[in-house]
């Protein structure tokens, strides 16, 4: 077998094992979680019922003690009281008050039974000094009551348990004991009712591990110790808290999942358990499958041990372990957020101890959501994997990288000797992203933003350090290009400003502080006005006119562009209907309106409200509108209405040419940057010429933007541009001004026609 084939087979098997292991652990964990919940609930319920039983018995004992007259509650006096017929009657009555009480005895301070509900008593001098309840209660001043060991009464075969309570004098000195013998079958009946599934077992244990009752009945379980020394079961019982624990049962020697619940007022507890093998029963097939595939892999790996493939197998076995899965990201195999924060804390402590410095990097892909939307989630996953690989390749062994969010990574660079080392790594990572990533047969440009904080200067705790790196990341993100930033206290958290701006925009919309300006566009063939572009302004009550460049991005991020955009559409159409000439009106649409809003419905509504014919409407979009199937369909429907579609800012995007091919635009707007440069730069001129030629071939018209000089206008005319827009022709102006502007034009046109008419009439 060739080395490559083995490698391939091993990898294939690895994937299978991983997949099955993950599925298996998922299902297994679900089953386990459910079983854990059921067991814990049952343990709680049985604890309450058992506790209730003991309390009822103890109440009876207290009642009897309460009836001992004062003078008898002295050393030496208890015997006489106990021996009386009246006391016997009390004891018999008390024993009969509860079915689970077999008998009640009074025991004096020396351990002799001095009174009993038992009719056959008393031949003299029966001592109970060797019982654990007597020994404990007579010596331990802190205990009031005690549960003895379970016993089987030889004559009747009844299993019994003693619950004893201390009798003291007024000063609290030990006088004797009242002890009840309890019929355990009462508790067994309660437990038996709950024995649903096959392997379920219910145990009542004393704190020292002695089994007081066990259901189902098991030979020899009673009175035995429930745990082996130094096992999980022993340790958790000692802690005396409700817990779940997995351990071997000493009663059936099987591995079980136990839910433990201690009693509140007695040194005992309830354990409810099921065998692990029963819990896993439904999963045995998968378990066998995994073992089989692992075996296949073993064979492949043994054959290929020369290739040094061992680590593949160890990697997989590790992957299958629960803790690995909960601390790693499945897609990239990198540590996840949980492991990262543990590691960050560890690194922080270690660096404080050793005095060495480290750097924390937070990285974020630019516009990852767009990539997912345009290329699909499969491509998105592919890109995440590529990015994680490229980043990892730039790190040393001692550094640490984790994927902490869908498109977020965190890196701990440790140790570091200075800022230059940090800048070097940040630049190396940026450089690693210079080449496009291949996914879904497409080459996709991926940029990353990086924020860095240094442990020595930017935070006193791991949390503070995270915050600093995050502020730096956000500052890097607001740069137009992919960049990195090192934290410094002067960086303002731009999010705070953005949130303020968002709030202000919302009120601005409610208070109708937006206003549209209109910029005329000249038709170069006829030398007449072709139409206007509507441009939004924010008339801030204190700050005056604010440019759209300052607030449109925030409006887009917050989604407010939706309602604002709808308002722009309606307002522009309504205004155009007041003009003296039926000129075109061009309106800018944001990509967010395409993604989040039904643009088609908005446009139809604006046309309906204003009554403007659709052919006067021109919609401008930029390359940032992703031409998904859905977006293209919307554009087609808009064209179907009679509106035209312009491609704005042409030449500034990455893939202008291919973009142009994906939709039949009516018009291309040549970006002002080319017009500005056209008199000095051959390149700009060449691009303008080429664009105009291309547009002609594609039967599209062209508008040159930002025309500021006569020179530029003449050159554009020569190059064959259809229209021109810019300060040379007119600046954007408010609603009233544009109405006057158009009214004057109309008058001029009228006059010109009148003159022509007059001239023809004269001729
Ligand atoms: P744009 O669509 O490229 O609009 C043309 C911009 O160029 C306008 O800036 C306009 O005032 C400016 N301009 C026009 N002639 C000249 C010139 O000769 N020289 C120079 N230097 N500039 C000129 P404005 O009004 O600041 O708008 C900026 C951008 O804001 C617009 O660029 C457009 O992308 C966006 N925008 C404006 N109004 C809206 C709107 O209602 N909705 C949306 N989504 N975006 C809008
Ligand atoms: Ca525009
Ligand atoms: Ca433009």
């Amino acid at each position: 077998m060739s080395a490559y084939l083995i490698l391939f087979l091993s990898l294939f098997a690895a994937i299978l094992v991983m997949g099955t292991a993950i599925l298996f652990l998922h299902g297994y964990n679900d089953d386990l979680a459910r079983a854990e919940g059921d067991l814990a609930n049952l343990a709680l319920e049985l604890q309450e019922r058992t506790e209730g039983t003991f309390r009822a018995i103890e109440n009876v004992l207290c009642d009897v003690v309460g009836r001992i007259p004062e003078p008898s509650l002295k050393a030496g006096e208890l015997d006489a009281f106990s021996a009386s017929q009246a006391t016997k009657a009390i004891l018999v009555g008390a024993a009969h008050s509860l079915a689970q009480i077999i008998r009640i005895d009074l025991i004096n301070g020396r351990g002799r039974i001095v009174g009993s509900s038992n009719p056959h008593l008393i031949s003299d001098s029966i001592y109970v000094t060797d019982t654990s309840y007597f020994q404990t209660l007579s010596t331990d001043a802190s205990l009031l009551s005690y549960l003895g060991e379970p016993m089987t009464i030889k004559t009747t075969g009844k299993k019994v348990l003693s619950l004893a309570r201390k009798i003291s004098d007024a000063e609290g000195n030990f006088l004797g004991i009242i002890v009840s013998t309890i019929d355990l079958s009462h508790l067994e009946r309660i437990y038996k009712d709950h024995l649903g599934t096959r392997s379920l077992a219910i145990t009542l244990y004393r704190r020292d591990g002695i089994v007081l009752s066990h259901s189902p009945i098991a030979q020899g379980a009673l009175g035995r110790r429930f745990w082996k020394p130094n096992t999980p079961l022993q340790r958790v019982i000692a802690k005396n808290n409700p817990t779940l624990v997995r351990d071997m049962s000493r009663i059936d020697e099987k591995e079980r999942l136990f839910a433990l619940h201690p009693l509140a007022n007695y040194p005992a507890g309830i354990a409810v358990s099921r065998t692990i093998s029963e819990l896993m029963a439904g999963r045995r097939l998968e378990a066998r499958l995994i073992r089989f595939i692992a075996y296949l892999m073993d064979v492949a790996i043994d054959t290929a041990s020369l290739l040094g493939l061992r680590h593949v197998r160890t990697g997989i076995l590790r992957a299958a372990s629960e803790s690995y899965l909960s601390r790693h990201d499945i897609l990239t195999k990198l540590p996840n957020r949980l492991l990262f924060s543990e590691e960050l804390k560890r690194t922080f402590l270690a660096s404080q101890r050793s005095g060495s410095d480290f750097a924390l990097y937070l990285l974020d892909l630019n516009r990852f959501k767009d990539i997912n939307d345009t290329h699909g989630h499969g491509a998105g996953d592919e890109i995440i994997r590529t990015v994680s690989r490229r980043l990892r390749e730039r790190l040393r062994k001692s550094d640490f990288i984790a994927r902490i969010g869908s498109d977020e990574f965190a890196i701990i660079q440790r140790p570091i000797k200075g800022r230059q080392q940090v800048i070097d790594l940040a630049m190396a990572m940026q450089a690693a992203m210079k080449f496009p990533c291949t996914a879904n047969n497409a080459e996709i440009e991926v940029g990353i933003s990086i924020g860095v904080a240094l442990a020595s200067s930017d935070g006193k705790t791991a949390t503070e350090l995270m915050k600093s790196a995050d502020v730096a990341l956000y500052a890097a993100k607001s740069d137009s290009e992919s960049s990195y930033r090192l934290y410094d206290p002067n960086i303002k958290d731009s999010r705070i400003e953005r949130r303020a701006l968002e709030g202000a925009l919302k009120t601005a919309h409610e208070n109708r502080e937006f206003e549209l300006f209109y910029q005329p566009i000249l038709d170069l063939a006829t030398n007449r006005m072709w139409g206007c572009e509507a441009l939004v302004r924010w008339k801030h009550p204190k700050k005056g006119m604010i440019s759209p460049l300052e607030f449109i991005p925030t409006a887009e991020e917050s989604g407010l562009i939706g309602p604002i955009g709808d308002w722009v559409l309606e307002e522009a159409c309504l205004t155009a209907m007041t003009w003296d000439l039926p000129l075109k009106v061009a309106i800018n649409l944001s990509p967010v309106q395409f993604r989040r809003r039904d643009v088609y419905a908005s446009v139809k509504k604006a046309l309906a409200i204003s009554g403007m014919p659709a052919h006067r409407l021109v919609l401008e979009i930029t390359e940032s509108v992703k031409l998904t199937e859905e977006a293209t369909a919307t554009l087609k429907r808009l064209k179907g209405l009679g509106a035209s579609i312009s491609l704005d800012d042409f030449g500034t995007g990455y893939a202008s040419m291919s973009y142009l091919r994906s939709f039949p635009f009516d018009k291309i707007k040549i970006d002002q940057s080319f017009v500005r440069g056209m008199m000095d730069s051959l390149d700009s001129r060449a691009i303008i010429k080429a664009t105009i030629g291309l547009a002609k071939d594609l039967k599209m018209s062209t508008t040159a933007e930002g025309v500021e000089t006569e020179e530029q206008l003449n050159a554009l005319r020569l190059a064959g541009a259809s229209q021109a827009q810019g300060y040379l022709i007119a600046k954007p102006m408010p609603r009233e001004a544009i109405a006057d502007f158009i009214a004057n034009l109309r008058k001029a046109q009228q006059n010109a026609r009148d003159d022509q008419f007059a001239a023809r009439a004269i001729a």
Side-chain angles (χ1 to χ4, degrees):
M1 230 187 313
S2 86
Y4 285 109
L5 187 58
I6 292 167
L7 182 68
F8 172 78
L9 282 178
S10 315
L11 284 178
F12 178 70
I15 291 161
L16 270 178
V17 172
M18 277 291 283
T20 325
I22 288 162
L23 276 177
F24 174 72
L25 281 174
H26 252 279
Y28 173 55
N29 285 338
D30 282 357
D31 289 359
L32 217 54
R34 221 173 302 121
E36 284 176 350
D38 290 349
L39 289 179
N41 283 338
L42 183 55
L44 173 67
E45 187 188 334
L46 294 177
Q47 171 260 323
E48 283 168 350
R49 295 202 56 181
T50 309
E51 185 109 30
T53 303
F54 287 153
R55 206 178 309 118
I57 296 168
E58 205 178 345
N59 284 344
V60 171
L61 301 184
C62 287
D63 193 47
V64 173
V65 175
R67 290 161 84 169
I68 305 175
E70 264 304 317
S72 304
L73 280 176
K74 282 193 196 104
E77 300 295 324
L78 193 63
D79 294 23
F81 164 80
S82 306
S84 75
Q85 277 307 312
T87 304
K88 180 124 200 149
I90 293 176
L91 291 176
V92 171
H96 276 96
S97 68
L98 284 176
Q100 55 267 37
I101 299 179
I102 295 176
R103 59 185 270 181
I104 298 177
D105 298 296
L106 282 167
I107 291 152
N108 73 9
R110 279 164 288 120
R112 189 163 79 92
I113 300 183
V114 285
S116 175
S117 67
N118 192 328
H120 308 303
L121 224 68
I122 304 173
S123 67
D124 261 339
S125 49
I126 298 179
Y127 283 86
V128 293
T129 36
D130 57 344
T131 61
S132 66
Y133 62 81
F134 184 83
Q135 288 177 358
T136 312
L137 287 178
S138 63
T139 51
D140 189 336
S142 69
L143 279 181
L144 268 183
S145 54
Y146 189 78
L147 287 169
E149 290 82 30
M151 286 186 307
T152 309
I153 297 178
K154 284 203 189 88
T155 48
T156 56
K158 262 200 167 108
K159 277 172 280 177
V160 298
L161 184 69
S162 41
L163 172 60
R165 203 182 147 89
K166 190 187 285 185
I167 304 170
S168 310
D169 66 10
E171 278 76 49
N173 300 311
F174 176 73
L175 285 182
I177 288 171
I178 180 164
V179 56
S180 60
T181 305
I182 309 168
D183 185 351
L184 271 175
S185 66
H186 172 78
L187 286 175
E188 278 168 358
R189 266 196 305 277
I190 296 179
Y191 302 150
K192 210 178 97 197
D193 285 347
H194 292 276
L195 291 178
T197 36
R198 204 154 30 90
S199 73
L200 192 83
I202 299 166
T203 314
L204 172 66
Y205 61 86
R206 209 164 66 173
R207 273 286 286 284
D208 58 0
I210 299 286
V211 175
L212 302 181
S213 160
H214 184 81
S215 306
I217 316 290
Q219 272 302 316
L222 226 53
R224 217 172 131 180
R225 238 175 256 278
F226 189 37
W227 40 257
K228 278 190 188 148
N230 225 352
T231 51
L233 207 48
Q234 183 205 356
R235 284 190 291 271
V236 295
I237 286 177
K239 284 203 184 113
N240 208 33
N241 287 323
T243 12
L244 286 156
V245 63
R246 210 168 138 162
D247 200 357
M248 291 300 281
S249 159
R250 272 203 93 186
I251 293 165
D252 61 5
E253 300 295 334
K254 285 187 182 141
E255 193 183 16
R256 286 177 168 269
L257 177 66
F258 293 92
L260 303 179
H261 211 300
L263 303 192
N265 298 300
Y266 301 92
I270 290 285
V272 180
S273 69
R274 285 176 67 186
T275 59
I276 297 292
S277 68
E278 192 197 32
L279 290 173
M280 300 254 296
R283 306 248 140 220
R284 239 171 250 146
L285 186 67
E286 286 102 318
R288 252 184 243 147
L289 191 64
I290 292 180
R291 243 176 277 137
F292 174 66
I293 296 167
Y295 166 76
L296 278 187
M297 246 190 54
D298 257 1
V299 173
I301 288 168
D302 284 348
T303 343
S305 58
L306 282 177
L307 285 170
L309 273 175
R310 279 224 173 263
H311 65 281
V312 175
R313 180 162 168 269
T314 5
I316 290 155
L317 294 181
R318 200 163 49 124
S321 89
E322 230 169 300
S323 102
Y324 181 84
L325 283 178
S326 67
R327 281 178 170 68
H328 287 79
D329 162 44
I330 293 173
L331 183 66
T332 58
K333 313 271 191 316
L334 290 181
N336 63 13
R337 185 178 272 278
L338 178 65
L339 183 51
F340 163 74
S341 44
E342 292 168 354
E343 191 68 24
L344 179 62
K345 281 188 201 126
R346 263 196 293 273
T347 310
F348 209 94
L349 287 178
S351 92
Q352 278 174 336
R353 243 180 275 126
S354 66
S356 65
D357 198 6
F358 73 93
L360 168 66
Y361 296 65
L362 293 181
L363 301 91
D364 193 312
L365 302 198
N366 301 337
R367 290 184 293 272
F368 183 63
K369 204 184 158 295
D370 286 352
I371 295 178
N372 266 333
D373 288 350
T374 319
H375 300 276
H377 288 266
D381 285 355
E382 194 60 40
I383 284 182
I384 292 293
R385 264 195 297 259
T386 309
V387 171
S388 87
R389 203 185 52 240
R390 289 187 191 174
L391 294 177
R392 213 160 18 175
E393 280 164 2
R394 262 87 199 156
L395 302 179
R396 299 168 297 176
K397 259 219 165 70
S398 56
D399 301 335
F400 180 87
I401 175 167
R403 181 181 178 212
I404 57 169
S406 71
D407 62 339
E408 293 162 63
F409 295 88
I411 290 172
I412 301 173
Q413 184 189 21
R414 59 190 178 191
I416 54 163
K417 292 212 182 66
R419 290 175 92 79
Q420 192 54 46
Q421 204 179 342
V422 174
I423 294 170
D424 288 346
L425 179 60
M427 281 172 55
M429 291 194 286
Q430 292 283 11
M433 299 314 301
K434 283 259 150 60
F435 318 95
C437 303
T438 326
N440 243 358
N441 292 326
E443 301 237 303
I444 303 167
E445 305 261 356
V446 184
I448 48 171
S449 301
I450 306 174
V452 198
L454 305 193
S456 54
S457 55
D458 304 337
K460 284 192 218 55
T461 60
T463 318
E464 272 183 34
L465 195 64
M466 271 300 270
K467 223 186 207 153
S468 300
D470 193 45
V471 169
L473 171 65
Y474 206 78
K477 267 185 108 59
S478 32
D479 292 350
S480 58
E481 278 179 45
S482 301
S483 71
Y484 67 88
R485 286 285 197 93
L486 270 65
Y487 177 79
D488 86 71
N490 297 323
I491 299 184
K492 270 190 265 158
D493 191 343
S494 45
R495 272 166 294 191
I496 296 172
E497 285 172 29
R498 207 197 73 189
R499 249 173 263 138
L501 181 58
E502 250 177 56
L505 275 177
K506 214 162 160 194
T507 26
H509 181 57
E510 284 157 10
N511 298 344
R512 307 184 159 273
E513 287 168 19
F514 295 113
E515 196 178 325
L516 289 185
F517 273 43
Y518 299 87
Q519 185 174 35
I521 298 170
L522 180 73
D523 190 296
L524 294 176
T526 61
N527 235 357
R528 287 193 175 181
M529 189 169 164
W530 172 85
C532 295
E533 176 174 4
L535 296 157
V536 71
R537 301 283 178 269
W538 178 5
K539 205 170 168 185
H540 195 283
K542 289 200 194 99
K543 296 183 194 156
M545 275 310 173
I546 300 179
S547 148
L549 297 174
E550 281 178 54
F551 64 85
I552 294 278
T554 305
E556 287 177 334
E557 276 173 50
S558 63
L560 265 174
I561 192 70
I564 297 176
D566 285 356
W567 173 82
V568 170
L569 275 166
E570 287 169 23
E571 172 70 15
C573 294
L574 282 167
T575 304
M577 285 303 281
T578 65
W579 296 340
D580 281 355
L581 293 169
L583 301 176
K584 306 262 192 195
V585 61
I587 296 170
N588 295 286
L589 292 181
S590 148
V592 180
Q593 284 171 278
F594 274 83
R595 252 188 277 134
R596 294 221 205 142
R597 224 176 174 77
D598 187 352
V599 199
Y600 180 79
S602 300
V603 168
K604 267 203 90 147
K605 187 166 165 226
L607 291 173
I609 287 175
S610 63
M612 189 180 83
H615 69 85
R616 288 182 61 192
L617 180 62
V618 182
L619 299 168
E620 298 192 358
I621 66 163
T622 64
E623 277 174 53
S624 45
V625 173
K626 294 291 164 251
L627 289 183
T628 54
E629 256 174 55
E630 203 186 339
T632 315
T634 306
L635 286 175
K636 280 196 182 129
R637 286 172 79 202
L638 290 169
K639 262 186 102 149
L641 277 180
S644 12
I645 314 288
S646 293
L647 179 53
D648 203 356
D649 302 343
F650 183 77
T652 57
Y654 286 114
S656 300
M657 291 298 163
S658 67
Y659 197 84
L660 208 50
R661 252 188 295 138
S662 19
F663 185 79
F665 291 96
D666 297 287
K667 171 161 142 163
I668 299 172
K669 295 192 82 172
I670 302 168
D671 191 67
Q672 20 186 301
S673 56
F674 301 111
V675 176
R676 203 173 303 130
M678 73 182 295
M679 302 326 289
D680 316 310
S681 145
L682 277 177
D683 285 354
S684 291
R685 231 182 349 239
I687 289 171
I688 290 178
K689 271 199 185 137
T691 307
I692 293 171
L694 183 73
K696 279 196 173 135
D697 286 346
L698 294 169
K699 310 250 170 340
M700 300 176 186
S701 62
T702 42
T703 300
E705 292 188 282
V707 182
E708 295 183 353
T709 66
E710 289 286 352
E711 236 185 333
Q712 289 167 343
L713 187 65
N714 287 333
L716 287 163
R717 226 189 266 278
L718 272 176
S722 330
Q723 288 124 15
Q725 176 182 357
Y727 293 170
L728 176 71
I729 296 132
K731 285 199 169 179
M733 55 190 102
R735 182 188 158 110
E736 298 74 27
I738 196 75
D740 289 348
F741 188 90
I742 294 171
N744 288 335
L745 264 183
R746 192 196 136 122
K747 264 182 225 141
Q749 283 176 13
Q750 190 73 52
N751 290 344
R753 254 203 303 276
D754 289 350
D755 288 351
Q756 262 180 9
F757 187 74
R760 231 178 280 141
I762 292 163

